[in-house]
Amino acid sequence: MNKVLETVGFRKGECIFREGDAGARAYIIESGLVEVAVRRQGRALVLAELGEGELLGEMALLDGLRRSATARAVQDTVLIVLNRALVEEKLENAEPMLNLFLRAVLERFRTTRTMALPEDRALIGLSDMGAAMPAPRGAAYQRESELVMERLKSEQALSEAIAKEQLELVYQPIFDLHEGHVAGFEALIRWNHPTEGTIPPSGFIDLAEETGLIVPMGLWALEEALRALLRFREVRAGHIYDSSECFVTVNLSTRQFDDPHLADSLGRILSTNDIDPGLLKLEITESLLMKDPEFAMVELNRLKKLGLKLVIDDFGTGYSSLSYLYRFPIDTLKIDRSFVSTMLQDEGSKQIVRATTWLAHALAMDVVAEGVGDSGQLLQLQGLNCEYGQGFFLSRPLAEHDAHSVIDHRLAC
């Protein structure tokens, strides 16, 4: 998996780049101190000393011209590298107004630099450190700089987590509510951070989505889940009471679903694993599908041709997909936990669960109720003819070796 960000270290006195060098990188100072200088009339003219959180080298990167100053580490220094491809990607994905603003500022800079005499450029601040005499910076700027650094460090840490295999999958059992045994597992990702311990998806999935790391992360999760499924199959084969094979469900994010290579990547993953594609279920949220229903329909049909199963997650949480539901090639509706958890106290929630189950069956789909929290809810769901259920009352998410031990568990009621 490719790293989005990298860091480089320089010893005290080492040159980071020289005046006249080609520039394809900018840097943010993670720690240390950097001196930026130019040579004029045979002597070095120091423009500035830059510290933690400061940016340098950005103008040569953006313009594609040669470095207009020399940067040297004043003390041992660590820099976060921003390469041209990353910057261009960020600009392309930026809000249109921000993109316009940045490009207008850059164009004005180019014009000013073209008009200035070479010997004057450093003096008016047209150098590779951005400004020769920076304006005073208040608390708001300082806080903004800190937030940018925190974000970059988090992005770098997540990138390293993928490369260093700090991510793992846990598996929450999904029970067959008619037969009472484990029918499958939902694969859920966790980050085993070296200093912060286990981080749940809520702590890093949004960042992964925004940076694009969710794409390689998601493919890893799919491959890992299928390998685990092969092992689940071996365990299940040892239980005489049930010859059926269990399935595994994996969540798809917005960025993954929009990836034009998703179907091809899934096809490759499935072809390298000796397993029935129908035992892999992809969970896609209702809101994602309704963002662009026509596009979703095309992509869902591409995925369906691979032989896998498709699940609408969080069904009924505010996005009306009823007009498209019968047209989507969906196999399963997953009732949101907000309805299941309140169905005994709230008649409206109970009727939504009842109606969703009836609708799914009318469209030849099965139903999973998530968030089952007690025996009363379980009995109600069984009475409504709901096929599957999951939730803390039935089982919490488990490490794979613990999931093996519940394969032969049966519901007590």
Side-chain angles (χ1 to χ4, degrees):
M1 299 178 186
N2 294 328
K3 293 182 66 176
V4 172
L5 292 174
E6 62 174 313
T7 58
V8 291
F10 293 88
R11 295 286 188 184
K12 178 180 178 180
E14 274 193 281
C15 183
I16 298 167
F17 55 75
R18 298 182 186 278
E19 189 173 354
D21 287 350
R25 290 177 162 190
Y27 305 93
I28 294 177
I29 302 173
E30 182 174 304
S31 63
L33 192 65
V34 173
E35 177 188 271
V36 179
V38 294
R39 293 198 66 82
R40 294 294 180 265
Q41 298 178 345
R43 64 185 182 88
L45 174 62
V46 176
L47 301 178
E49 285 190 346
L50 306 178
E52 181 177 339
E54 297 278 8
L55 181 67
L56 70 149
E58 72 278 12
M59 292 307 178
L61 181 150
L62 292 171
D63 265 10
L65 301 179
R66 296 194 175 275
R67 301 288 189 189
S68 57
T70 295
R72 190 179 305 276
V74 177
Q75 52 188 235
D76 289 352
T77 297
V78 176
L79 304 176
I80 298 174
V81 178
L82 305 175
N83 60 49
R84 178 171 289 127
L86 176 62
V87 172
E88 290 176 349
E89 178 188 350
K90 297 295 184 184
L91 281 174
E92 290 300 323
N93 293 329
E95 290 291 331
M97 183 62 72
L98 176 60
N99 202 324
L100 176 64
F101 175 77
L102 290 174
R103 295 191 184 281
V105 169
L106 180 59
E107 185 61 35
R108 187 168 299 173
F109 169 84
R110 288 178 179 137
T111 302
T112 305
R113 184 152 91 172
T114 301
M115 294 172 61
L117 294 174
E119 61 269 23
D120 295 331
R121 290 173 189 164
L123 300 179
I124 63 173
L126 303 179
S127 69
D128 263 304
M129 41 70 68
M133 293 183 292
R137 293 167 177 175
Y141 177 88
Q142 183 64 28
R143 181 57 185 152
E144 182 180 355
S145 178
E146 290 172 358
L147 290 173
V148 170
M149 286 299 295
E150 289 172 8
R151 168 59 182 261
L152 286 171
K153 287 179 180 179
S154 296
E155 185 175 340
Q156 181 185 3
L158 183 56
S159 180
E160 290 177 353
I162 298 173
K164 296 180 179 179
E165 300 181 350
Q166 295 172 1
L167 303 176
E168 71 165 342
L169 295 182
V170 294
Y171 301 88
Q172 185 169 32
I174 299 173
F175 281 82
D176 185 317
L177 300 186
H178 299 319
E179 301 295 330
H181 61 75
V182 174
F185 296 89
E186 180 178 0
L188 302 165
I189 198 165
R190 299 288 186 268
W191 178 3
N192 293 319
H193 195 281
T195 59
E196 298 181 23
T198 302
I199 301 177
S202 59
F204 62 91
I205 288 297
D206 286 347
L207 176 62
E209 184 83 8
E210 292 167 12
T211 59
L213 285 170
I214 194 68
V215 174
M217 184 186 297
L219 290 177
W220 169 83
L222 284 162
E223 291 183 294
E224 180 63 22
L226 285 177
R227 286 192 289 265
L229 185 56
L230 289 170
R231 295 187 286 269
F232 289 145
R233 181 171 64 176
E234 294 174 0
V235 175
R236 171 59 61 87
H239 298 289
I240 300 175
Y241 77 86
D242 184 10
S243 60
S244 63
E245 292 188 291
C246 62
F247 57 81
V248 67
T249 70
V250 180
N251 293 279
L252 276 188
S253 74
T254 301
R255 195 79 171 251
Q256 288 175 277
F257 191 67
D258 290 342
D259 180 9
H261 306 295
L262 175 63
D264 293 337
S265 297
L266 275 169
R268 175 185 57 78
I269 292 171
L270 288 168
S271 67
T272 57
N273 290 276
D274 181 23
I275 202 162
D276 178 2
L279 297 177
L280 172 63
K281 299 189 177 187
L282 298 181
E283 292 194 11
I284 306 163
T285 63
E286 186 178 9
S287 58
L288 189 159
L289 296 180
M290 295 312 298
K291 183 180 67 173
D292 186 345
E294 298 300 331
F295 169 79
M297 203 170 324
V298 172
E299 292 305 303
L300 290 175
N301 280 308
R302 289 182 66 202
L303 295 174
K304 192 66 179 173
K305 288 179 180 178
L306 298 174
L308 46 75
K309 304 290 186 181
L310 299 173
V311 181
I312 293 186
D313 193 14
D314 301 335
F315 186 77
T317 53
Y319 295 86
S320 178
S321 61
L322 293 179
S323 60
Y324 283 89
L325 188 58
Y326 75 97
R327 299 168 60 190
F328 290 148
I330 299 298
D331 301 283
T332 301
L333 292 186
K334 198 166 191 178
I335 304 175
D336 187 70
R337 67 182 67 250
S338 62
F339 302 118
V340 175
S341 64
T342 58
M343 62 186 298
L344 296 183
Q345 297 80 31
D346 183 75
E347 183 64 22
S349 292
K350 179 180 178 180
Q351 293 306 322
I352 288 174
V353 174
R354 182 192 302 275
T356 301
T357 303
W358 179 88
L359 176 64
H361 293 165
L363 295 175
M365 303 173 188
D366 55 40
V367 178
V368 177
E370 62 177 346
V372 180
D374 56 46
S375 59
Q377 295 168 13
L378 176 58
L379 289 171
Q380 285 275 4
L381 292 167
Q382 290 172 323
L384 293 175
N385 202 29
C386 179
E387 285 86 356
Y388 304 106
Q390 69 181 107
F392 282 3
F393 175 71
L394 303 176
S395 175
R396 291 177 176 272
L398 304 168
E400 186 186 329
H401 66 276
D402 293 322
H404 290 172
S405 67
V406 304
I407 290 264
D408 60 347
H409 282 196
R410 285 185 170 271
L411 296 175
C413 58

